[in-house]
């Protein structure tokens, strides 16, 4: 049962990742009538929302775009920063959605920000506990499983909180794009909406992955099985 659950949930996670990448790749070739680049669209959206204290910076990692609430900046990949495709505008608008959430103290985003410290610690645990148990033998198998289950449970709950944050950011982006003229009616409009809808599914895949590992460690504890 555990193996079957692992295979099924892993397949769902991979399917979500494939959907996001496929949607982005398809619409990275869809031009927009406005001609705005991702950076220009982000600037216009932030101004429309009355946000003047958030910077827009370029970086190299493809699809590594994110909003940094600590430094108050949008980090946009080079392809989206300079690109004028439906995909570039959709991703940039999605990250602007997070900036709008921060400005309005959106509750799930506040939870996400508050939990960063404990999730960082949990991430260290899931990396080091297996190595400590494997090479030193200092941890009894059930103790190691318990620590890993708790750590993965924290990560799973953190990723669960992220889901409304991501879907709400896409919802906000769709509304503001419709009001700014950054994306006008035509073939680009549904393409941008598809990118925005797909963007949130990246974190669905992350949540599913963390759920897999949480169940993998907690089920043997609940069933009393010896998984060695």
């Amino acid at each position: 049962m555990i193996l079957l659950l692992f295979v099924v949930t892993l397949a769902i996670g991979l399917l979500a990742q494939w959907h996001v990448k496929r949607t982005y790749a398809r619409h990275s070739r869809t031009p927009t009538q406005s001609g705005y680049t991702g950076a220009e669209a982000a600037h216009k959206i932030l101004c429309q929302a009355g946000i003047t204290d958030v910077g827009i910076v370029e970086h190299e990692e493809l699809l590594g775009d994110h909003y940094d609430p600590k430094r108050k900046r949008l980090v946009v990949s080079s392809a989206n920063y300079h690109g004028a495709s439906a995909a570039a505008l959709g991703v940039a608008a999605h990250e602007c959605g997070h900036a709008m959430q921060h400005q309005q103290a959106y509750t799930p985003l506040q939870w996400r920000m508050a939990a960063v410290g404990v999730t960082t610690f949990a991430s260290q645990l899931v990396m080091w506990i297996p190595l400590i148990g494997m090479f030193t033998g200092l941890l009894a198998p059930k103790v190691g499983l318990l620590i890993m289950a708790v750590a993965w449970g924290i990560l799973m709950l953190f990723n669960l909180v992220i889901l409304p944050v991501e879907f709400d950011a896409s919802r906000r982006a769709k509304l503001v794009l419709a009001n700014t003229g950054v994306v006008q009616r035509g073939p680009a409009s549904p393409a941008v909406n598809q990118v925005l809808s797909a963007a949130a599914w990246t974190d669905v895949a992350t949540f599913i992955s963390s759920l897999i590992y949480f169940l993998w460690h907690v089920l043997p504890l609940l069933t009393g099985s010896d998984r060695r």
Side-chain angles (χ1 to χ4, degrees):
M1 287 296 294
I2 294 175
L3 181 59
L4 178 62
L5 179 64
F6 179 82
V7 171
V8 171
T9 51
L10 179 61
I12 294 172
L14 292 174
L15 181 62
Q17 292 178 341
W18 172 81
H19 173 64
V20 172
K21 292 179 179 179
R22 178 173 175 270
T23 301
Y24 177 84
R26 184 170 72 250
H27 294 309
S28 64
R29 299 185 295 271
T30 303
T32 58
Q33 293 179 343
S34 67
Y36 282 103
T37 65
E40 292 169 342
H43 178 72
K44 187 174 181 64
I45 291 169
L46 293 177
C47 289
Q48 177 80 6
I51 301 174
T52 59
D53 58 347
V54 172
I56 305 169
V57 299
E58 177 185 359
H59 80 140
E60 297 295 328
E61 184 183 355
L62 181 64
L63 290 182
D65 309 71
H66 63 278
Y67 171 64
D68 183 347
K70 185 175 181 180
R71 298 181 182 179
K72 300 198 76 172
R73 64 180 189 175
L74 298 182
V75 182
V76 185
S77 63
S78 296
N80 294 328
Y81 189 95
H82 298 287
S85 66
L89 269 59
V91 172
H94 176 84
E95 301 310 329
C96 288
H98 290 309
M100 288 185 277
Q101 290 172 338
H102 194 191
Q103 179 198 40
Q104 299 172 13
Y106 179 61
T107 300
L109 180 64
Q110 300 299 310
W111 292 345
R112 173 182 175 179
M113 293 166 60
V116 168
V118 68
T119 54
T120 299
F121 180 67
S123 297
Q124 293 296 314
L125 284 179
V126 300
M127 180 174 64
W128 290 108
I129 290 299
L131 294 177
I132 292 173
M134 182 184 302
F135 292 110
T136 68
L138 296 177
L139 291 176
K142 286 192 175 180
V143 173
L145 273 177
L146 178 60
I147 295 174
M148 290 291 287
V150 171
W152 276 113
I154 292 171
L155 294 173
M156 183 266 294
L157 290 175
F158 177 74
N159 292 328
L160 180 61
V161 169
I162 287 176
L163 296 184
V165 175
E166 295 301 318
F167 282 102
D168 180 74
S170 288
R171 181 190 64 82
R172 291 170 186 263
K174 290 177 182 179
L175 290 175
V176 75
L177 284 173
N179 295 328
T180 57
V182 170
V183 177
Q184 302 170 4
R185 290 185 178 180
S189 182
V192 170
N193 286 337
Q194 289 176 25
V195 171
L196 284 168
S197 297
W201 287 94
T202 304
D203 292 279
V204 172
T206 302
F207 165 70
I208 290 173
S209 296
S210 62
L211 177 61
I212 290 169
Y213 288 108
F214 170 67
L215 293 174
W216 179 255
H217 291 93
V218 79
L219 287 179
L221 294 172
L222 296 177
T223 60
S225 62
D226 186 11
R227 198 197 68 203
R228 284 182 292 180

